[in-house]
Amino acid sequence: TKWVFTFGDGAAEGRASDKNLLGGKGANLAEMCSLGLPVPPGFTITTEVCNAYYANGRTHPAGLEADVAVALDHIGRLTGRRFGDPSKLLLVSVRSGARASMPGMMDTVLNLGLNDETVEALAADSGDARFAYDSYRRFIQMYSDVVMGLDHEVFEEILEDQKASLGHELDTELTAIEWQGVIALYKAKVEEELGRPFPQDPHEQLWGAIGAVFSSWMNNRAITYRRLHDIPESWGTAVNVQAMVFGNMGETSATGVAFTRNPSTGEKMLYGEFLVNAQGEDVVAGIRTPQNITEAARIAAGSDKPSLQKLMPDAFQSFVTISDSLEKHYRDMQDLEFTIERGKLWMLQTRSGKRTAKAALRIAVEMARDGLITKQEAVARIDPASLDQLLHPTIDPKAARDIIGVGLPASPGAATGEIVFSSGDAEDLKTQGRKAILVRIETSPEDIHGMHAAEGILTTRGGMTSHAAVVARGMGKPCVSGAGSLRVDYKAGTLVSMGQTFRKGDIITIDGGNGQVLKGAVAMLQPELSGDFAAIMEWADAVRRMKVRTNAETPLDARMARSFGAEGIGLCRTEHMFFDGARIVAMREMILADTEKDRRAALAKLLPMQRSDFLELFEIMAGLPVTIRLLDPPLHEFLPKTEAEVAEVAAAMNVSADKLRQRTEALHEFNPMLGHRGCRLAVSYPEIAEMQARAIFEAAVEAGKKAGALVVPEIMVPLVGLAKELDFVKARIDAVAKSVMDESGVNIDYLTGTMIELPRAAIRAHVIAESAGFFSFGTNDLTQTTFGISRDDAASFLETYRQKGIIEQDPFVSLDIEGVGELVRMAAQKGRATRPDIKLGICGEHGGDPSSIRFCEEVGLDYVSCSPYRVPIARLAAAQAAV
Ligand code: ADP
Ligand code: MG
Ligand code: MG
């Protein structure tokens, strides 16, 4: 097996498509080399070695050492240096690199190969002793932290003490001699803490670092990140060993990061930050405030620190050319890392840049319009779930803003919540159903949990490429970073702004669109769905086969869903219409009635209300199909629960509290989910279904007259297990239809169908299809009844199942394709065998889940139906599934 792949000087053994083997970083370093870009030479140890390392009790495979020695010689040849040889000093970086980029998850060691002897060689070689000792102290810090597990804070403390006693503010102010003093203290500290000296042998250092990269694949941060992003452990990480170039060689050197387009808005402009006389992570660590790359960005930001364009015009020009060519080559927005050593530009990384949903849309649309990608590729590039971010509210421009601070607009969208200062508190609030804004000086990978739990993130330090900003954008959470005028005091538990003190639990609002931090809750606005969003949706609709409907029963939801592009209603839950005001009274009268006659009298009061509900929905959905489900939940859900409520209702309805209590007791069920509900109600009390059918048909007649738009109501009978249940209810519906047609003299087109939400219905689908004009897969109940679990009770053990690897995903979120899906597939086939033109749809939560939608396309359903906010997601997911 080939364990090691080299790159450098215009050639490489690997290429971009070798991501699985070389990791993203290694594959792209190889690709950049082959493109002839200036990349320090190096080599990549493959991800297979990582897997072998774990398979063999954390030992390296035989032959690796020899391969690495050869590869080191390769670097030596290209640089004219030799690893471990002070007379021709070669220093390297050791960098991890998984297939998928895992920002901040794995640790990099720079300046490896330095020791007490070689540091002097570096000083002589470069003619810059300050630089040499600065590099050495960085190396001791990083190596001790990453490889030897010594917390970097112990070094920071030493450095802070030294700077204070020497009267320095910035690291760059320390002289060579002063750094030598710091180094002596560092080394003493290492020995004191670890009981052994800092390793001086470059080869020992190298193998220590390689082992540390592999080990970091299994550190907690990496494991958490993988779990959150569904990255399998089996992928492993590669290790990149690369000749060092130095951004800390004085004022003509620099290091920076950039995006080829603005990652927040998608605007086509070089967008990034750099620091003079700095190395590696200095830019993202937020220690010094970074400078803008272009003049335009500097002016826009109102910064008085010179841009790279002004400061180092030649290096800037090469960088512009290279970033353009990389974007064209990869046909996507790139996220670049570079270093300038004494005026010469070196490329250290390129990858597809993370971006907000808004930026993703703009970039895809503009690249398609520029002919760089096709429209279909543009559609395929948008993560459907990410659209959610765009559908979220922003602050109403007319709302009064009580601004308490301003930071950078790091991730768009607005959020309101209670202040919390720790990730743990954010999680606690979330479990209590409360909303939190996570307020931190800066975030680290340990905060990922808390960032997930919070509505939004506010930091007082760090730029647009800080950890908080990058992670928040990936999560689609609003984030304001680097709000420097705010003071966070963790110990006191306060956030202080211009004399005002805020504490944990106080409400604030952040506006990730402009970086403002506001006191209290602020009025929000619904999003704008035109422009790039509309373009992608239009392109998606052009390739989509399945229709997308919505689950809605209120006019508000129905209108919202139409504005999101819903093509009808796939599930109108009529019981939701029975809860408010006069309706619940009539409903309770109906439930308390002792005779059918009294029941019908109560239902007669509900009829006009239902009719006007349906009429309104028909008008909103003019010309589109509307599926109405007959009453589904057990009747006791409509009765009062507490003693006080019982007394109140009894008085209002003029019945004794005892009678009400007795009826409630009689209706009590041990397992309501499996109880007297669905079509079972219609079999027991056909008059309920008849009233609903009449309301539907009369509304259809009226809608036909009024709007002139033909409505074809689809009446859906829930929880059918036996064909005879459907036959029974359908006969009642048909009879009502006939009498409404006779009364009105208007012919009504309608369909009667059923939900498939019991395994028996799926098994007997060919028989049920004899009476059903359509099937709608109620995958929420079908999941419950197939697994034999109740959604309300399963949350506790499903999480345990997930952690123990028994299930991969919550089957209520993503359809269990092997089990529940098999029933759907079977029912669809059997249904079609009986009735080839049977309409098939899905109306469970899964109708808005992209991977479930892919399955629906595969089975050939006619439509998916989902909650209004999921409609755009479903449109896009259905399009991606179709190509
Ligand atoms: P991450 O995956 O966290 O981005 P990297 O391996 O990219 O880690 O390393 C972080 C930074 O270290 C780089 O952006 C670059 O600034 C610096 N770096 C890495 N390798 C070298 C090198 N060979 N020469 C100079 N700087 C380097
Ligand atoms: Mg990097
Ligand atoms: Mg159901």
Side-chain angles (χ1 to χ4, degrees):
T1 329
K2 187 169 170 55
W3 300 121
V4 174
F5 286 66
T6 59
F7 57 83
D9 210 15
E13 292 180 321
R15 57 168 72 116
S17 54
D18 293 329
K19 268 202 183 98
N20 295 356
L21 188 62
L22 303 182
K25 201 180 288 164
N28 287 331
L29 284 170
E31 186 86 1
M32 284 198 290
C33 268
S34 300
L35 291 170
L37 302 182
V39 175
F43 59 87
T44 304
I45 304 175
T46 69
T47 54
E48 286 175 357
V49 177
C50 181
N51 291 332
Y53 176 82
Y54 283 106
N56 296 309
R58 301 201 176 206
T59 57
H60 300 300
L64 181 66
E65 288 203 20
D67 291 355
V68 165
V70 170
L72 275 174
D73 283 346
H74 164 86
I75 303 181
R77 240 187 342 271
L78 295 182
T79 54
R81 299 171 176 279
R82 251 171 84 92
F83 187 67
D85 181 348
S87 66
K88 293 189 242 160
L89 188 62
L90 170 62
L91 300 181
V92 296
S93 66
V94 177
R95 322 168 65 185
S96 64
R99 278 191 218 182
S101 83
M102 292 170 60
M105 289 293 127
M106 318 286 281
D107 298 301
T108 296
V109 178
L110 302 179
N111 309 327
L112 190 139
L114 280 177
N115 57 29
D116 295 347
E117 188 188 356
T118 54
V119 69
E120 283 173 28
L122 184 63
D125 214 25
S126 62
D128 185 347
R130 184 214 62 84
F131 150 73
Y133 289 99
D134 176 49
S135 302
Y136 190 25
R137 67 89 190 178
R138 287 171 185 273
F139 173 55
I140 297 175
Q141 242 172 289
M142 256 185 280
Y143 192 91
S144 304
D145 177 14
V146 175
V147 182
M148 309 206 289
L150 192 57
D151 198 73
H152 62 95
E153 270 166 28
V154 304
F155 297 113
E156 265 149 42
E157 256 168 48
I158 294 175
L159 183 53
E160 287 307 311
D161 284 352
Q162 284 300 102
K163 283 201 303 199
S165 69
L166 293 166
H168 292 315
E169 215 170 283
L170 297 174
D171 295 359
T172 43
E173 291 165 7
L174 271 75
T175 64
I177 294 181
E178 287 166 352
W179 279 127
Q180 280 174 307
V182 171
I183 288 164
L185 292 171
Y186 277 9
K187 288 199 309 190
K189 189 77 187 174
V190 169
E191 212 162 338
E192 176 195 325
E193 295 278 333
L194 302 176
R196 60 194 154 100
F198 186 80
Q200 294 286 313
D201 175 11
H203 286 95
E204 183 191 339
Q205 293 173 354
L206 178 64
W207 285 101
I210 292 172
V213 172
F214 287 145
S215 301
S216 72
W217 181 247
M218 286 303 201
N219 74 26
N220 289 335
R221 290 183 298 167
I223 291 169
T224 300
Y225 188 90
R226 282 204 292 278
R227 188 165 57 71
L228 291 171
H229 292 83
D230 284 324
I231 296 173
E233 191 184 301
S234 63
W235 281 7
T237 179
V239 182
N240 300 290
V241 177
Q242 190 178 23
M244 281 301 299
V245 290
F246 299 98
N248 55 336
M249 259 196 198
E251 296 301 306
T252 55
S253 301
T255 185
V257 296
F259 293 89
T260 55
R261 303 192 184 216
N262 182 323
S264 278
T265 65
E267 192 188 346
K268 187 164 165 41
M269 62 187 294
L270 197 54
Y271 187 88
E273 297 170 328
F274 78 104
L275 279 176
V276 174
N277 196 8
Q279 195 176 49
E281 309 284 56
D282 291 2
V283 180
V284 288
I287 296 164
R288 276 192 274 157
T289 303
Q291 294 159 244
N292 296 105
I293 296 207
T294 63
E295 260 308 277
R298 183 194 67 77
I299 292 162
S303 162
D304 53 8
K305 292 193 176 171
S307 65
L308 185 71
Q309 186 169 12
K310 190 77 179 287
L311 218 52
M312 304 181 189
D314 291 344
F316 170 79
Q317 216 41 63
S318 328
F319 185 61
V320 169
T321 310
I322 287 173
S323 22
D324 273 354
S325 71
L326 282 172
E327 191 182 276
K328 290 214 174 70
H329 180 73
Y330 284 97
R331 302 162 72 240
D332 197 9
M333 183 257 255
Q334 296 295 296
D335 173 355
L336 308 163
E337 294 174 12
F338 64 94
T339 282
I340 296 167
E341 180 183 307
R342 293 191 169 156
K344 166 141 176 72
L345 174 73
W346 293 94
M347 297 304 297
L348 293 171
Q349 192 168 339
T350 190
R351 64 182 160 204
S352 281
K354 290 209 190 307
R355 62 205 80 178
T356 62
K358 191 173 151 197
L361 283 178
R362 178 162 177 183
I363 291 169
V365 168
E366 289 184 357
M367 285 190 168
R369 291 206 171 122
D370 288 346
L372 199 58
I373 59 176
T374 66
K375 286 179 183 174
Q376 271 198 17
E377 281 177 300
V379 167
R381 280 195 185 177
I382 308 297
D383 170 13
S386 75
L387 294 181
D388 210 17
Q389 301 173 33
L390 302 173
L391 309 174
H392 283 302
T394 47
I395 291 176
D396 184 344
K398 286 189 235 105
R401 289 173 179 243
D402 186 350
I403 300 170
I404 57 171
V406 181
L408 299 170
S411 180
T416 297
E418 298 176 40
I419 293 177
V420 295
F421 295 105
S422 76
S423 287
D425 285 346
E427 289 190 289
D428 288 350
L429 246 61
K430 166 108 182 181
T431 52
Q432 294 165 32
R434 285 151 68 190
K435 297 184 165 165
I437 302 289
L438 179 62
V439 180
R440 303 280 303 166
I441 295 174
E442 55 196 330
T443 63
S444 71
E446 278 85 9
D447 289 315
I448 287 181
H449 275 111
M451 294 174 75
H452 258 283
E455 297 297 309
I457 297 115
L458 167 63
T459 68
T460 55
R461 213 193 274 167
M464 292 293 286
T465 51
S466 65
H467 178 268
V470 171
V471 175
R473 280 198 294 273
M475 291 178 179
K477 297 261 157 134
C479 174
V480 171
S481 71
S485 67
L486 300 176
R487 283 280 163 270
V488 170
D489 184 336
Y490 292 136
K491 277 212 192 89
T494 55
L495 171 71
V496 178
S497 155
M498 303 177 286
Q500 291 189 80
T501 301
F502 300 85
R503 288 170 204 288
K504 186 177 153 193
D506 289 346
I507 303 279
I508 55 168
T509 298
I510 58 168
D511 185 344
N514 65 7
Q516 289 177 353
V517 184
L518 312 165
K519 184 172 172 176
V522 184
M524 305 266 180
L525 263 199
Q526 294 310 314
E528 178 64 59
L529 301 176
S530 53
D532 301 324
F533 181 88
I536 286 284
M537 283 297 144
E538 191 189 314
W539 298 345
D541 289 348
V543 292
R544 173 160 65 85
R545 183 193 61 83
M546 285 191 293
K547 297 273 185 203
V548 175
R549 299 194 196 177
T550 192
N551 299 348
E553 39 279 327
T554 67
L556 187 74
D557 278 356
R559 274 198 200 94
M560 171 104 71
R562 269 220 79 167
S563 76
F564 288 158
E567 298 162 297
I569 291 179
L571 175 63
C572 165
R573 288 159 289 214
T574 47
E575 56 271 15
H576 289 219
M577 298 166 158
F578 289 137
F579 278 105
D580 49 63
R583 299 162 182 226
I584 187 81
V585 177
M587 191 66 188
R588 285 167 175 167
E589 272 176 35
M590 192 273 294
I591 295 170
L592 290 179
D594 292 316
T595 63
E596 185 188 323
K597 183 163 157 281
D598 287 352
R599 249 191 321 273
R600 285 193 186 274
L603 285 165
K605 294 186 194 167
L606 285 168
L607 175 68
M609 305 180 208
Q610 279 260 275
R611 189 173 51 218
S612 70
D613 288 340
F614 294 142
L615 182 59
E616 199 168 357
L617 287 183
F618 291 162
E619 282 171 351
I620 294 169
M621 290 289 161
L624 298 172
V626 175
T627 305
I628 297 159
R629 179 177 72 186
L630 299 181
L631 189 66
D632 186 34
L635 295 180
H636 58 75
E637 284 197 8
F638 299 95
L639 292 178
K641 305 256 165 354
T642 66
E643 273 305 308
E645 276 176 333
V646 168
E648 192 187 327
V649 169
M653 296 184 60
N654 206 14
V655 296
S656 76
D658 263 352
K659 172 165 182 173
L660 194 54
R661 232 177 271 124
Q662 272 166 24
R663 190 75 186 119
T664 307
E665 262 162 44
L667 288 172
H668 172 79
E669 292 177 328
F670 288 105
N671 291 307
M673 180 200 112
L674 302 174
H676 195 177
R677 53 168 290 213
C679 68
R680 297 158 196 169
L681 288 172
V683 171
S684 304
Y685 311 109
E687 52 278 9
I688 302 178
E690 284 169 16
M691 180 281 286
Q692 293 198 293
R694 176 166 286 274
I696 294 167
F697 293 131
E698 289 180 355
V701 169
E702 255 181 80
K705 282 187 204 147
K706 246 175 129 173
L710 208 59
V711 192
V712 181
E714 300 178 355
I715 301 179
M716 181 152 79
V717 183
L719 214 74
V720 163
L722 302 154
K724 282 201 176 144
E725 289 172 322
L726 179 60
D727 294 344
F728 179 92
V729 182
K730 183 170 185 292
R732 300 299 184 285
I733 295 169
D734 289 341
V736 173
K738 180 157 188 320
S739 65
V740 174
M741 285 193 264
D742 289 347
E743 287 156 25
S744 64
V746 176
N747 189 49
I748 309 165
D749 255 340
Y750 67 99
L751 279 179
T752 307
T754 180
M755 291 184 82
I756 301 286
E757 49 189 343
L758 294 174
R760 193 179 195 286
I763 294 165
R764 301 293 291 165
H766 52 299
V767 186
I768 293 173
E770 284 169 14
S771 309
F774 65 88
F775 286 166
S776 177
F777 292 97
T779 49
N780 295 346
D781 270 325
L782 190 58
T783 299
Q784 300 197 88
T785 54
T786 302
F787 276 89
I789 59 182
S790 138
R791 174 146 82 151
D792 301 327
D793 300 324
S796 60
F797 59 85
L798 281 185
E799 187 44 35
T800 309
Y801 270 40
R802 234 173 69 94
Q803 279 166 9
K804 301 200 168 169
I806 293 181
I807 57 165
E808 262 176 28
Q809 273 165 320
D810 181 340
F812 292 108
V813 173
S814 203
L815 190 75
D816 161 45
I817 289 171
E818 299 175 338
V820 179
E822 201 50 38
L823 286 172
V824 171
R825 190 191 298 274
M826 179 175 83
Q829 273 163 7
K830 290 184 171 218
R832 282 205 193 94
T834 301
R835 187 189 289 262
D837 66 343
I838 192 167
K839 257 199 206 184
L840 300 173
I842 181 175
C843 65
E845 296 297 303
H846 304 101
D849 169 63
S851 68
S852 311
I853 290 171
R854 187 167 292 279
F855 169 78
C856 294
E857 171 68 31
E858 195 194 307
V859 182
L861 300 192
D862 297 298
Y863 68 87
V864 299
S865 187
C866 55
S867 59
Y869 271 99
R870 296 232 136 219
V871 166
I873 297 173
R875 284 165 73 192
L876 184 56
Q880 292 179 352
V883 294

